[in-house]
Amino acid sequence: MLRKIRLVLAGLFFIGITLMFLDFTGTLHRWLSWMAKVQFLPAVLALNVVVIVALLALTLIFGRIYCSVICPMGVMQDVIARLNRKKNKYSYSGAISWLRYIMLAIMVVACVAGIGSLMALLAPYSSYGRIATFILQPLWQLGNNVLASIAERVDSYAFYTTDVWMKSLSTFGIALATLLVVGFLAFRHGRTYCNTICPVGTVLGFFARFSLFKVRFDEEKCKNCSLCSKNCKAACIDYKSHSVDYSRCVACGNCIDKCKFGALAYSMKKAGKKSEPVAEPRQESVDEGKRSFLLATALVTTAAMAQEKKKVDGGLAEIKEKLAPVRQTPITPPGSLSASNMQKHCTACQLCVSECPNGVLRPSSDLMKLMQPTMSYERGYCRPECTRCAEACPAGAIKPISLDEKSSIQIGHAVFIKKNCVAVNDGVECGNCARHCPVGAIEMVQLDEEDDESPFVPAVNESRCIGCGACENLCPARPFPAIFVEGHEVHKIV
């Protein structure tokens, strides 16, 4: 029964977190964002004391339940391991402690030094977030677009098409490499990643040594059949010495389920000679492959929640793709306070990137800030009425802000490039930037005040500009806009 409860809870967490990354409608994050906030490393970086204490208390009572229920990377490994139908495929092996503590030391140094890219590579939740955002989300969107095409033919508006585009080739490569490496290890060796590389697993493993409930042997009942060791995906059960390495045990219950003699129990006390007989486990077992089925079902149904209108270009002419200008200072989202705060706290989980409805956020390619979100306005601009990235961030890299606060936060300022302006080059009236500026920071003035025939060009009031990028996004100049936003290292209030 305990194993079944664990499987149900793990399935709910895994599906919920995955849907949170896949959903592009902005609906599910209002209900499921708490699942991101209870992840261990984001809670540490956000200084969420309540969550940290709760997770440590959970570990001290039940062992590494976090790794087998709450952590999506851990559950993903269980799903992949289940695909290997070979029976009795594991064996006991000693802990590679030196590697575990080196990985933990690297993580601690990265956190203290603010090396966000290194921290992001080791964080399990962030690694899964990249896999979900860059591999699963495009597949999900393509499936949604197929359904939207079918619905359109029958005059239904239950679905709408969404753009599928590559946000970052480097981050996609890292996500794919992570999936292949972790997937291979899980398929062949179970929880190798969790117990050799993952720093969160190492920290929780230390506390799990002192947990109240543990998997314990009844040596009188044990027949040394080795089924427990052969079915332990953490490779932490030595049936010969009747011992369990509790720093690696994730309390999955597989060993108890496979033991035919009732020699194993998840209990507070070690079984003694006068212990009560342990009931034979039922032969029926829950097929972990059902998780994949539940996930696929949920992914197909959630697209029906979309309610935004379809964006079209009118089909009047071929529009050249707009290219990103070269910025001296990258732009970070409102609420991130500064580039330094973003670098120190962001785990590059990509949740804000997947949640951004305007295509503004994408992972950075800067080595020191690799995979952390940066802003660019080729596909949209940062709308004053949207705070979804701030609401989604679980690590405190983007602080929650109100709509009023967002309209007064200056994340950058617009810069005019005369040589790119269509009013100067083509002799046409434009003024797009001034018309669409939400804070009135742009005014159209004559390029030459002494010439009445001189074209009107934008003049930027930097003290009012908030850097939302509406001017850059809506500028008709191609391939580079005539006005673009230069970021600020530290945000200001205007």
Side-chain angles (χ1 to χ4, degrees):
M1 178 60 69
L2 290 176
R3 181 172 178 270
K4 291 181 179 180
I5 294 174
R6 182 191 69 80
L7 289 175
V8 170
L9 292 177
L12 291 175
F13 264 95
F14 186 64
I15 292 173
I17 291 175
T18 302
L19 287 178
M20 187 170 57
F21 281 98
L22 301 186
D23 176 47
F24 53 84
T25 67
T27 304
L28 294 182
H29 84 277
R30 299 181 183 277
W31 303 95
L32 302 177
S33 60
W34 64 272
M35 289 188 173
K37 290 180 173 61
V38 299
Q39 301 299 316
F40 188 80
L41 185 59
V44 170
L45 294 176
L47 299 179
N48 193 333
V49 178
V50 174
V51 172
I52 296 172
V53 171
L55 291 178
L56 293 180
L58 186 71
T59 304
L60 286 172
I61 297 174
F62 299 107
R64 283 176 57 182
I65 288 292
Y66 170 90
C67 299
S68 57
V69 174
I70 300 175
C71 177
M73 179 62 85
V75 179
M76 185 191 80
Q77 291 175 80
D78 290 346
V79 173
I80 294 175
R82 183 67 179 178
L83 299 177
N84 187 350
R85 295 295 181 176
K86 181 181 177 181
K87 294 183 178 180
N88 305 329
K89 53 184 176 287
Y90 306 121
S91 61
Y92 172 76
S93 62
I96 311 178
S97 299
W98 63 270
L99 180 58
R100 298 172 70 186
Y101 291 116
I102 286 177
M103 293 295 104
L104 177 59
I106 292 175
M107 172 63 82
V108 172
V109 171
C111 289
V112 173
I115 308 175
S117 56
L118 184 57
M119 181 171 56
L121 286 173
L122 297 176
Y125 164 72
S126 300
S127 296
Y128 180 77
R130 291 190 291 273
I131 293 172
T133 300
F134 283 88
I135 298 176
L136 299 182
Q137 189 186 59
L139 298 176
W140 166 249
Q141 290 176 313
L142 289 173
N144 169 81
N145 290 349
V146 171
L147 294 177
S149 178
I150 296 174
E152 185 179 4
R153 295 178 181 276
V154 295
D155 295 328
S156 172
Y157 297 95
F159 301 90
Y160 69 94
T161 57
T162 181
D163 291 336
V164 182
W165 57 290
M166 177 60 68
K167 299 178 177 70
S168 170
L169 185 59
S170 59
T171 304
F172 169 77
I174 293 173
L176 182 60
T178 302
L179 177 61
L180 293 176
V181 172
V182 175
F184 173 79
L185 292 176
F187 188 80
R188 293 291 301 274
H189 307 291
R191 290 276 186 149
T192 301
Y193 168 84
C194 291
N195 291 327
T196 56
I197 299 175
C198 178
V200 174
T202 301
V203 171
L204 296 180
F206 173 79
F207 291 94
R209 297 173 187 267
F210 312 102
S211 63
L212 190 61
F213 286 88
K214 298 177 179 177
V215 175
R216 304 178 189 272
F217 272 94
D218 186 334
E219 298 181 15
E220 291 186 348
K221 293 182 178 180
C222 180
K223 307 300 181 184
N224 290 337
C225 67
S226 77
L227 278 178
C228 53
S229 295
K230 291 178 178 179
N231 287 278
C232 177
K233 56 198 172 190
C236 65
I237 299 179
D238 185 359
Y239 73 95
K240 295 180 181 179
S241 62
H242 302 107
S243 62
V244 180
D245 183 352
Y246 296 113
S247 71
R248 292 185 289 155
C249 176
V250 295
C252 66
N254 287 356
C255 55
I256 299 173
D257 185 67
K258 294 296 181 180
C259 182
K260 299 179 179 179
F261 308 102
L264 289 169
Y266 183 64
S267 60
M268 295 175 60
K269 296 182 179 180
K270 184 175 181 179
K273 295 183 179 181
K274 297 183 180 181
S275 59
E276 294 295 326
V278 180
E280 290 288 332
R282 296 183 180 179
Q283 295 301 315
E284 59 178 287
S285 62
V286 176
D287 185 0
E288 293 184 23
K290 290 180 180 178
R291 299 181 187 177
S292 299
F293 171 76
L294 291 173
L295 175 59
T297 303
L299 296 183
V300 170
T301 55
T302 192
M305 300 180 182
Q307 297 177 354
E308 299 180 15
K309 294 183 179 180
K310 183 176 179 181
K311 181 180 179 181
V312 296
D313 61 10
L316 299 178
E318 181 182 357
I319 301 177
K320 291 183 180 180
E321 185 176 355
K322 181 178 289 187
L323 300 179
V326 178
R327 307 181 203 275
Q328 297 299 317
T329 303
I331 312 170
T332 58
S336 61
L337 305 181
S338 65
S340 175
N341 179 76
M342 172 66 74
Q343 186 175 352
K344 291 179 180 178
H345 291 84
C346 179
T347 64
C349 70
Q350 309 303 313
L351 184 56
C352 59
V353 175
S354 66
E355 286 287 343
C356 181
N358 304 308
V360 170
L361 291 177
R362 69 280 314 274
S364 172
S365 57
D366 186 331
L367 186 59
M368 291 300 294
K369 304 173 184 178
L370 187 64
M371 302 179 291
Q372 294 185 346
T374 186
M375 302 176 72
S376 200
Y377 304 119
E378 296 81 66
R379 308 182 69 89
Y381 66 93
C382 192
R383 296 179 179 272
E385 69 274 13
C386 174
T387 58
R388 277 168 58 177
C389 60
E391 295 169 1
C393 180
I398 309 176
K399 306 292 185 182
I401 55 175
S402 66
L403 294 179
D404 290 338
E405 289 173 329
K406 180 174 182 180
S407 297
S408 62
I409 296 175
Q410 187 182 64
I411 60 177
H413 65 273
V415 178
F416 174 57
I417 307 297
K418 183 179 70 172
K419 66 179 181 179
N420 294 341
C421 186
V422 296
V424 176
N425 295 331
D426 302 331
V428 297
E429 293 185 3
C430 181
N432 251 12
C433 50
R435 283 195 299 272
H436 293 92
C437 179
V439 294
I442 300 177
E443 180 183 359
M444 300 303 293
V445 299
Q446 282 190 311
L447 183 61
D448 185 353
E449 296 181 356
E450 298 180 357
D451 184 2
D452 293 338
E453 301 297 325
S454 178
F456 282 83
V457 296
V460 180
N461 183 347
E462 294 185 9
S463 64
R464 298 188 62 178
C465 178
I466 61 174
C468 68
C471 54
E472 178 181 328
N473 173 249
L474 296 166
C475 177
R478 295 293 189 278
F480 294 103
I483 189 167
F484 76 98
V485 177
E486 186 64 64
H488 288 174
E489 284 284 348
V490 179
H491 295 178
K492 304 175 183 178
I493 301 297
V494 297

